[in-house]
Amino acid sequence: MMAVWIQAQQLQGDALHQMQSLYGQHFPIEVRHYLSQWIESQLWDAIDLENPQEEFKAKRLLDSLIQELQNKAEHQVGEDGFLLKIKLGHYANQLKSTYDRCPLELVRCIKHILYTEQRLIREATNSSSPVGGMMDSMSQKYQQINQAFEELRLLTQDTENDLRKLQHNQEYFIIQYQESLRIQAQLSSLATLPPSDRQLREPALLSKRATVDAWLTREANTLQKYRLDLAEKHQKTLQLLRKQQTIILDDELIQWKRRQQLAGNGGPPEGGLDILQSWCEKLAETIWQNRQQIRRAEHLRQQLPIPGPIEELLNELNSTITDIISALVTSTFIIEKQPPQVLKTQTKFAATVRLLVGGKLNVHMNPPQVKATIISEQQAKALLKNENTRNESSGEILNNNCVMEYHQTTGTLSAHFRNMSLKRIKRSDRRGAESVTEEKFTILFESQFSVGSNELVFQVKTLSLPVVVIVHGSQDNNATATVLWDNAFAEAGRVPFLVPDKVLWPQLCEAINMKYKAEVQSNRGLSEENLVFLAQKAFSSSSNNPDDYRSMTMTWSQFNRESLPGRNFTFWQWFDGVMELTKKHLKPHWNDGAILGFVNKQQAQDMLMSKPNGTFLLRFSDSEIGGITIAWVAENPNKAGERMVWNLMPYTTKDFSIRSLADRISDLNHLLFLYPDRPKDEVFSKYYTPPLSKAVDGYVKPQIKQVVPDFATANPDPVGGNPTYMDQGASPAPVNHSHTYSMYPAMADPVLDGDGDFDLDDTMDVARHVEELLRRPVESQWGGQQS
């Protein structure tokens, strides 16, 4: 099959123009030309653009593309080769700079180019056979946008030709008009001549004047028609421009902003702005060309006023084109990198704002300054209603002014605020039960600049996503809940910063699953069983049927204002504790599927009782924020032949900072199989800490190990022999199907709560306890040697 690029180069007319419009700074046509074979041999379609985990594949392709370009550059020789070498090297740097942070955008761009070329070739050859697959919906949408740009280009070229023709005809009209004035002057001068001379010359001049005046009358009507026709064509162009601008600004750019908002909850990256910028630049270029044409038409009208409706029409066109360019400039002043949405005072933070049309409109020739201010929700509402806020702010930001910089290689105009810090915050009166971590602010970025030799002056403003201001790290989890709810459930075009008070449970599941996968950095999200467990916790329900929860709603109060029944924490606080623990200490085990996690005590007991002794599972503590416990099945030491489920006191971050989960599991010899039947070493051995090295300089390094006193033996089923600590200690009652058990009697120990889990506030320090356990055998050993 002939290469796509070879066929693409044979396209003619409109198809060729459409193909050429695919290329620009975002992807130069020279790169397509010199790397055509390599580009067409890559598996671009194998990369899922909606899956952020595919980014590493896209990064490999970007690196390979740059390497291919550099290799091609190095092999250029001769005088022409020298220039090409420099050019290809420049393109390599440009592509790296453009796509290094968003390699999936490169894949999106090249897929779009290849799909479009293939479609153009199919249409040109009238072939029904696909050349490498069908266009996806994204490419179809891009193609519609590109086709509209091609139509706008042709319309603008047509009006340019008409304008030149009008100007030429008007110039000739003025010459003829001057001729008419000259004839009139000659006729006037005849009065000074003798009557005989006047009679001799006057008829010829009168006849000539009549001819010229008749021509001028006809031509004046023709010029007026030309002007009206041109104005009508401009009206059509502006109508299409508005439509195209609406698609790009109100659909594509708004979708990008929505993706950016969801990325704040851990959704896929919003993607680069380069394709959007290329569209906005084409809009700016087309608008500016038409604006200049309308102004030239107005100049021609002033040069030669002819009575009629054209003056009003031109005023209307000028007003419309100014509105269009104003909307474009103000809408494309955007926040490329949002400030953190949980903002701690006295802490450095960053943000980046960008003007997508800045390079095309030469705004950088007089670089504008951008100012950042923090404002309240009420001030944001007033700002959007154009009410006078008298430059009010709700706090003081240090380093809040920044000059926009133009980056030649990427053609971007942006301001990077690198060292902002919120020095103080002024809070408003809160409503009802609202806490400080539910109060929303926003960072207002504003600037002013001129376009076209100060012809147009723009004041631009843009608001960041809502931010919650905290003064202490302990407020972080509640502030994160406010941000999560806002990012997930905000509706487009809302009044700042209204969100629904309640949402359907499946909607909330989608939001917390997105957050969980991002925080834990895992492809393994929450399963349907996990979500049922969470629904049971959220709604105090016992139903195991997912369908029972699909139409249920959860209010903001249930999510993070009211404590769970019998607990002193909210649903979100518990879930956030699980995420934090998993992110910091359990990530590999969660990814391996070793942690069931979202299982309650009764479920754990039911699952384990059908398994051999020594089978264990890992579940998140119900009663502890950020706790995980081990449940295992073993013999009841007080009743031969009876088995029971034991639960270990929950581990928290503090415990894992002393000894890892894998090492703790390794220490406990009575744990044999991870539920359902996997030998524990097969699952966890790759995470065990290697044995300590030999003594150095005569010193032996001590080692911390975990011991469960009742099970401090290598034998999970002790039979006979000397009595163990477990034989002598208090034992739980026999198991039944309505209870599960802790290591100690549920009612006898004052440090246990009602569920039999430990309350860490009332227990001894874990490290001291471990050291004490380690000390005992060492003392007895040395004591034995001394005696």
Side-chain angles (χ1 to χ4, degrees):
M1 186 181 291
M2 192 186 298
V4 174
W5 183 240
I6 294 172
Q7 296 176 78
Q9 292 174 80
Q10 296 167 7
L11 293 169
Q12 304 288 325
D14 288 349
L16 180 61
H17 282 305
Q18 286 183 49
M19 189 269 284
Q20 289 169 339
S21 70
L22 295 170
Y23 298 96
Q25 280 192 320
H26 61 284
F27 198 80
I29 197 167
E30 291 89 342
V31 176
R32 175 72 176 99
H33 181 74
Y34 287 104
L35 296 187
S36 60
Q37 193 173 349
W38 182 88
I39 288 170
E40 290 173 36
S41 65
Q42 305 308 306
L43 300 174
W44 305 103
D45 282 331
I47 295 179
D48 178 6
L49 295 172
E50 303 309 315
N51 183 358
Q53 304 299 327
E54 300 270 76
E55 193 163 303
F56 77 96
K57 291 185 190 173
K59 183 70 167 66
R60 276 211 308 263
L61 280 169
L62 171 62
D63 292 341
S64 300
L65 174 69
I66 290 165
Q67 189 61 52
E68 289 288 326
L69 262 181
Q70 289 168 341
N71 293 344
K72 180 68 77 173
E74 285 170 12
H75 288 91
Q76 301 306 315
V77 293
E79 189 176 332
D80 292 340
F82 173 72
L83 293 174
L84 186 56
K85 182 176 187 175
I86 292 173
K87 207 169 190 179
L88 293 178
H90 166 71
Y91 289 146
N93 293 333
Q94 180 180 314
L95 289 172
K96 182 173 176 59
S97 172
T98 302
Y99 295 110
D100 206 36
R101 288 188 302 162
C102 50
L104 284 170
E105 284 304 301
L106 172 74
V107 177
R108 192 190 304 274
C109 171
I110 293 178
K111 281 174 79 169
H112 166 55
I113 285 171
L114 292 174
Y115 279 132
T116 308
E117 286 178 351
Q118 290 161 5
R119 185 188 64 77
L120 291 170
I121 292 165
R122 280 204 305 277
E123 289 176 358
T125 55
N126 293 319
S127 168
S128 58
S129 61
V131 188
M134 295 296 288
M135 285 188 296
D136 57 15
S137 60
M138 181 70 74
S139 292
Q140 288 175 345
K141 189 164 53 177
Y142 284 10
Q143 186 55 36
Q144 287 167 359
I145 290 171
N146 285 333
Q147 282 174 344
F149 273 126
E150 177 61 15
E151 189 178 345
L152 281 166
R153 188 189 69 80
L154 294 172
L155 284 171
T156 305
Q157 185 61 54
D158 187 36
T159 47
E160 177 64 31
N161 294 337
D162 285 359
L163 188 58
R164 286 176 183 167
K165 182 179 175 183
L166 174 62
Q167 184 174 351
H168 173 76
N169 287 2
Q170 183 165 313
E171 286 169 354
Y172 187 66
F173 179 92
I174 290 168
I175 291 169
Q176 293 302 106
Y177 182 71
Q178 293 297 328
E179 176 65 13
S180 173
L181 293 178
R182 191 178 64 80
I183 294 168
Q184 184 59 45
Q186 286 177 333
L187 281 168
S188 299
S189 68
L190 290 181
T192 61
L193 295 177
S196 58
D197 289 348
R198 188 165 66 241
Q199 287 173 359
L200 186 66
R201 299 174 63 179
E202 191 173 45
L205 285 172
L206 288 171
S207 173
K208 191 175 181 182
R209 186 181 71 175
T211 303
V212 171
D213 286 354
W215 183 89
L216 286 173
T217 302
R218 284 198 313 274
E219 193 61 19
N221 290 329
T222 303
L223 285 174
Q224 186 73 310
K225 185 177 183 305
Y226 281 170
R227 288 176 177 182
L228 289 170
D229 288 348
L230 180 62
E232 285 175 8
K233 285 185 177 181
H234 274 131
Q235 282 178 325
K236 182 183 176 186
T237 303
L238 299 196
Q239 195 177 355
L240 183 56
L241 257 175
R242 266 198 197 281
K243 184 181 174 185
Q244 179 81 326
Q245 185 157 295
T246 299
I247 290 168
I248 291 168
L249 299 184
D250 294 356
D251 295 347
E252 298 299 316
L253 185 56
I254 294 297
Q255 284 175 28
W256 180 89
K257 287 181 177 180
R258 179 62 183 149
R259 291 198 301 271
Q260 185 186 52
Q261 192 172 27
L262 289 175
N265 275 4
E270 62 270 31
L273 285 162
D274 298 300
I275 290 175
L276 265 171
Q277 174 161 316
S278 72
W279 288 340
C280 291
E281 286 179 337
K282 282 181 182 175
L283 278 173
E285 188 173 16
T286 309
I287 292 167
W288 199 254
Q289 286 171 350
N290 279 275
R291 183 174 183 274
Q292 295 303 95
Q293 287 180 10
I294 291 165
R295 295 189 68 195
R296 280 159 57 199
E298 171 63 21
H299 177 70
L300 290 175
R301 188 201 66 77
Q302 290 172 353
Q303 193 180 43
L304 182 63
I306 302 173
I310 191 64
E311 182 177 0
E312 191 179 332
L313 268 174
L314 285 171
N315 287 338
E316 190 181 307
L317 286 171
N318 201 41
S319 173
T320 302
I321 199 92
T322 303
D323 287 347
I324 291 173
I325 197 168
S326 296
L328 177 66
V329 171
T330 53
S331 299
T332 55
F333 182 65
I334 61 170
I335 302 170
E336 182 176 14
K337 183 191 172 198
Q338 290 282 342
Q341 288 187 264
V342 176
L343 195 55
K344 192 164 177 256
T345 55
Q346 312 292 342
T347 303
K348 190 172 87 168
F349 68 95
T352 303
V353 293
R354 180 163 160 184
L355 182 62
L356 296 180
V357 294
K360 185 59 71 175
L361 295 178
N362 290 323
V363 173
H364 57 284
M365 302 305 284
N366 185 16
Q369 182 162 289
V370 184
K371 180 183 178 184
T373 317
I374 189 162
I375 61 174
S376 68
E377 185 173 332
Q378 290 302 321
Q379 289 164 340
K381 283 179 187 171
L383 186 75
L384 292 191
K385 289 179 185 174
N386 289 321
E387 293 175 4
N388 184 13
T389 55
R390 300 188 305 280
N391 295 321
E392 289 178 7
S393 72
S394 290
E396 182 183 351
I397 299 177
L398 301 178
N399 304 315
N400 67 328
N401 285 289
C402 185
V403 174
M404 297 194 92
E405 299 173 6
Y406 183 65
H407 305 273
Q408 190 75 41
T409 51
T410 57
T412 58
L413 183 71
S414 53
H416 299 276
F417 291 84
R418 295 181 175 87
N419 296 295
M420 287 192 287
S421 174
L422 182 58
K423 185 177 179 183
R424 61 177 184 83
I425 190 68
K426 185 170 67 180
R427 297 194 183 275
S428 56
D429 295 331
R430 288 184 296 284
R431 303 179 289 266
E434 189 181 80
S435 70
V436 294
T437 54
E438 293 177 49
E439 187 179 3
K440 299 171 193 173
F441 296 88
T442 179
I443 310 290
L444 165 67
F445 295 93
E446 50 190 338
S447 184
Q448 179 175 310
F449 49 83
S450 61
V451 171
S453 305
N454 295 324
E455 288 174 31
L456 298 172
V457 177
F458 295 104
Q459 287 187 323
V460 292
K461 299 178 181 184
T462 187
L463 296 174
S464 75
L465 292 172
V467 299
V468 178
V469 176
I470 62 172
V471 295
H472 191 274
S474 61
Q475 298 171 307
D476 185 83
N477 64 346
N478 290 326
T480 301
T482 302
V483 167
L484 176 86
W485 191 278
D486 193 281
N487 285 345
F489 309 122
E491 294 177 359
R494 64 173 169 172
V495 174
F497 288 109
L498 293 181
V499 284
D501 183 58
K502 61 182 179 182
V503 295
L504 285 169
W505 172 249
Q507 289 178 287
L508 186 63
C509 288
E510 187 181 347
I512 60 177
N513 187 34
M514 181 186 287
K515 184 71 173 174
Y516 187 85
K517 287 201 290 186
E519 289 293 313
V520 181
Q521 295 176 322
S522 171
N523 280 330
R524 184 192 167 204
L526 301 173
S527 66
E528 188 165 67
E529 291 78 11
N530 298 156
L531 295 171
V532 166
F533 169 88
L534 291 173
Q536 291 171 339
K537 181 177 282 291
F539 300 114
S540 301
S541 167
S542 59
S543 170
N544 288 318
N545 185 356
D547 291 335
D548 290 347
Y549 303 106
R550 295 200 197 285
S551 59
M552 292 183 75
T553 58
M554 190 169 197
T555 65
W556 164 252
S557 290
Q558 287 173 295
F559 184 65
N560 195 44
R561 196 177 273 172
E562 301 164 0
S563 293
L564 290 169
R567 306 294 182 205
N568 61 352
F569 47 78
T570 65
F571 172 83
W572 164 257
Q573 288 165 351
W574 181 88
F575 183 76
D576 184 60
V578 165
M579 280 197 304
E580 281 297 302
L581 182 72
T582 308
K583 176 171 73 174
K584 289 178 179 174
H585 301 288
L586 309 177
K587 191 190 304 181
H589 309 306
W590 173 264
N591 287 338
D592 290 348
I595 297 174
L596 286 178
F598 299 96
V599 177
N600 63 36
K601 275 189 175 180
Q602 184 61 52
Q603 288 171 321
Q605 174 176 303
D606 294 344
M607 292 161 75
L608 289 169
M609 286 304 294
S610 63
K611 297 297 175 184
N613 287 348
T615 302
F616 67 99
L617 59 78
L618 297 154
R619 68 176 189 86
F620 297 122
S621 169
D622 276 320
S623 58
E624 188 94 38
I625 290 183
I628 190 168
T629 186
I630 299 174
W632 74 96
V633 62
E635 292 293 326
N636 182 346
N638 290 339
K639 193 165 185 182
E642 186 172 77
R643 304 189 318 141
M644 58 186 294
V645 171
W646 303 76
N647 287 279
L648 204 57
M649 168 180 154
Y651 301 124
T652 64
T653 288
K654 186 165 78 170
D655 300 306
F656 293 135
S657 64
I658 298 169
R659 189 153 177 80
S660 73
L661 174 66
D663 286 340
R664 288 173 183 273
I665 289 171
S666 172
D667 293 341
L668 301 177
N669 293 325
H670 60 279
L671 302 182
L672 303 178
F673 304 102
L674 178 67
Y675 183 87
D677 55 11
R678 297 171 69 189
K680 74 172 181 182
D681 287 345
E682 178 188 300
V683 181
F684 295 101
S685 62
K686 58 186 172 184
Y687 304 112
Y688 295 161
T689 302
L692 293 171
S693 57
K694 294 180 180 178
V696 179
D697 297 332
Y699 289 100
V700 178
K701 202 171 181 181
Q703 186 174 12
I704 292 176
K705 283 210 171 189
Q706 174 181 250
V707 176
V708 176
D710 285 8
F711 288 82
T713 170
N715 184 354
D717 297 315
V719 179
N722 295 326
T724 64
Y725 179 87
M726 182 175 66
D727 295 326
Q728 298 169 357
S731 302
V735 71
N736 63 50
H737 288 291
S738 61
H739 299 89
T740 53
Y741 296 89
S742 284
M743 276 296 301
Y744 301 99
M747 302 307 293
D749 197 319
V751 300
L752 293 177
D753 65 14
D755 274 353
D757 280 341
F758 281 76
D759 182 351
L760 278 185
D761 292 338
D762 297 328
T763 59
M764 67 181 67
D765 179 84
V766 178
R768 193 174 74 242
H769 180 56
V770 173
E771 286 172 5
E772 185 182 333
L773 291 171
L774 281 171
R775 201 178 297 121
R776 286 177 188 168
V778 173
E779 286 172 353
S780 63
Q781 179 186 351
W782 286 109
Q785 286 182 349
Q786 288 169 348
S787 60

